[in-house]
Amino acid sequence: WYFLFAYAILRSIPNKLGGVIALVMSIAILFLMPLLHTNQSQGLQFYPLNQILFWYMVITIILLTWIGARPVETPYILTGQILTVLYFSYYILNPIISKFWDNLLNN
């Protein structure tokens, strides 16, 4: 059950190779996140926008896990595709907002 979110990402991409690449990236990015952490502060208590993004990510993973357990039918396919875009957009937005907040605090 703990890989249902990755399975939902796999089946939300129509291309087989693209789905496998997205599946591998959805797991590999979790291992790369500690290496890519470049914030000046260690915790999220000084980054209020990132706190909101964190809960957005938790909800996205919960919904992707739920979608992974659903059958491949019309409303679940589109929902899985939207949630897949939201899942990967977190990893793009989080460092950008962190850098913005660091620059805002330093100036």
Side-chain angles (χ1 to χ4, degrees):
W1 66 268
Y2 41 85
F3 284 121
L4 279 176
F5 80 96
Y7 176 65
I9 291 172
L10 169 72
R11 68 179 201 191
S12 70
I13 299 185
N15 185 356
K16 287 184 181 183
L17 180 61
V20 171
I21 290 172
L23 169 77
V24 170
M25 287 304 297
S26 70
I27 301 296
I29 203 164
L30 296 174
F31 290 108
L32 293 176
M33 281 304 288
L35 302 175
L36 300 175
H37 180 75
T38 58
N39 297 347
Q40 291 180 355
S41 299
Q42 290 295 323
L44 283 180
Q45 66 266 22
F46 300 113
Y47 300 98
L49 294 176
N50 292 73
Q51 289 176 357
I52 294 168
L53 273 179
F54 170 77
W55 289 110
Y56 149 84
M57 185 61 175
V58 168
I59 291 169
T60 302
I61 290 176
I62 290 170
L63 288 174
L64 273 171
T65 302
W66 177 71
I67 290 294
R70 300 291 107 206
V72 183
E73 294 176 354
T74 304
Y76 304 125
I77 295 171
L78 180 62
T79 306
Q81 290 172 344
I82 292 169
L83 289 170
T84 299
V85 170
L86 292 176
Y87 178 84
F88 286 111
S89 68
Y90 169 80
Y91 297 107
I92 296 170
L93 290 175
N94 194 32
I96 293 171
I97 292 176
S98 295
K99 292 294 182 197
F100 168 75
W101 203 256
D102 283 339
N103 288 336
L104 187 67
L105 290 176
N106 288 334
N107 292 330

